[in-house]
Amino acid sequence: TGTEWMTIREIEVYQGEINVALAKTVWVTAVDGAAPPANAVDGDPESQANVYYAGNPQMRLDLGDVFCVSHVVIYTGDAY
């Protein structure tokens, strides 16, 4: 058994002081309906997106354009 889901609270991708990831499209390999991928970029660190942890887990973020990224911040929660 073991851990099956990894929790992402928020993903922030900055161009200078602007979070260009806010409300963008997120895709994951397996979706937990109670914690959908869009929660990772909704601006609310209390919401969460869950990514299935087994096999080859992936989360992709489509920024919709090309940006000069200054830094990325990923807030995680507990795996379960």
Side-chain angles (χ1 to χ4, degrees):
T1 64
T3 300
E4 294 183 13
W5 295 95
M6 177 176 58
T7 299
I8 304 293
R9 295 273 179 202
E10 198 69 25
I11 300 172
E12 299 172 348
V13 179
Y14 287 92
Q15 180 177 21
E17 298 297 318
I18 299 170
N19 178 5
V20 296
L22 193 60
K24 294 300 194 286
T25 301
V26 181
W27 176 88
V28 297
T29 49
V31 175
D32 176 358
N39 287 356
V41 291
D42 65 358
D44 179 3
E46 296 301 315
S47 67
Q48 66 187 41
N50 292 333
V51 180
Y52 190 63
Y53 202 65
N56 185 21
Q58 296 179 34
M59 176 178 266
R60 297 180 190 169
L61 171 61
D62 182 355
L63 298 177
D65 206 344
V66 177
F67 294 94
C68 182
V69 173
S70 56
H71 61 284
V72 175
V73 180
I74 301 174
Y75 297 94
T76 62
D78 295 330
Y80 66 95

